[in-house]
Amino acid sequence: MSDVTAAIREAILGGEFVPNQRLVEADLSEQFAASRAGVRAALAVLAGEGLVERVQNRGARVRAVSLAEAVEISEVRMVIEGLCAAKAAERAAPAEVSELRAIGEEMRAAVASGDVLGYSRLNERLHRRVREISGQRTASGVLERLRAQGVRHQFKLAMHPGRPQKSLPQHLAIIDAIAAHDPAAAEQAARAHLRSVIEALGEIAS
């Protein structure tokens, strides 16, 4: 079951399946070479993650996340990512600080060269590493689910003109605070970054 769950999840996150698209068990069973029971179980897991929704007498479809919900997701992320950044500042070993610094330099280079997709991937990598370094497994699990639900809005945001240039100093501030082992500054920097995300989501909508 986990293999077909992961495959359908990737298809949703990668944009192969679009919001409100019907997910027909027979088609998915054929596409992913899985049993109908396996597909049914996978859709139940993904419904629990907020990626799929069940429709009365209509089966399942990809859940569409509204802009208002994307803002709510970012507000929750702001609190939890602040916690993770603070914990990472307490726990980061020298090798982990060096790794975060290296990601920061790659992000700087991506912005300088106009590599928007590369920057977006590095952005995700940085956030993931901060979560991992924090050792906050519960928070990491919640953030993974929230990130998955908001992934399309995050992609739109990444493509928004001037967004990487605006978010780069915010990311570098998070790295600097973690490197300085300053939990309060790390939490403040992470929250400031997510506040900026929320503002930018509003700009995209207008």
Side-chain angles (χ1 to χ4, degrees), residues 36-183:
R36 290 283 288 271
V39 167
R40 198 171 302 122
L43 291 176
V45 170
L46 296 171
E49 292 179 8
L51 292 176
V52 167
E53 64 182 345
R54 302 280 190 176
V55 185
Q56 191 80 31
N57 303 320
R58 295 284 305 276
R61 69 183 179 195
V62 178
R63 194 167 79 84
V65 174
S66 68
L67 183 73
E69 190 175 353
V71 167
E72 282 186 22
I73 286 169
S74 298
E75 288 171 342
V76 175
R77 278 184 58 202
M78 180 170 69
V79 176
I80 304 176
E81 296 223 24
L83 167 68
C84 287
K87 292 287 185 184
E90 291 173 4
R91 297 169 55 107
E96 290 167 331
V97 169
S98 296
E99 184 187 354
L100 294 179
R101 292 271 195 215
I103 294 172
E105 286 308 309
E106 286 185 58
M107 293 177 93
R108 205 192 294 270
V111 168
S113 65
D115 182 4
V116 178
L117 284 175
Y119 181 81
S120 182
R121 281 192 293 270
L122 289 163
N123 178 0
E124 187 186 325
R125 188 167 132 214
L126 175 64
H127 283 269
R128 185 176 67 250
R129 283 303 289 137
V130 170
R131 292 198 301 271
E132 289 167 354
I133 292 166
S134 78
Q136 268 280 350
R137 280 184 301 197
T138 301
S140 291
V142 172
L143 285 169
E144 267 305 305
R145 287 181 56 178
L146 292 175
R147 188 194 70 78
Q149 290 176 37
V151 70
R152 284 194 184 81
H153 291 285
Q154 289 297 319
F155 184 74
K156 270 192 225 167
L157 192 57
M159 296 295 113
H160 194 53
R163 180 62 198 165
Q165 289 85 345
K166 193 165 186 178
S167 72
L168 176 63
Q170 298 165 3
H171 286 118
L172 296 178
I174 295 169
I175 293 169
D176 285 343
I178 292 172
H181 300 289
D182 186 336

Side-chain angles (χ1 to χ4, degrees), residues 181-193:
H181 300 289
D182 186 336
E187 180 168 6
Q188 192 175 7
R191 281 175 168 255
H193 168 55

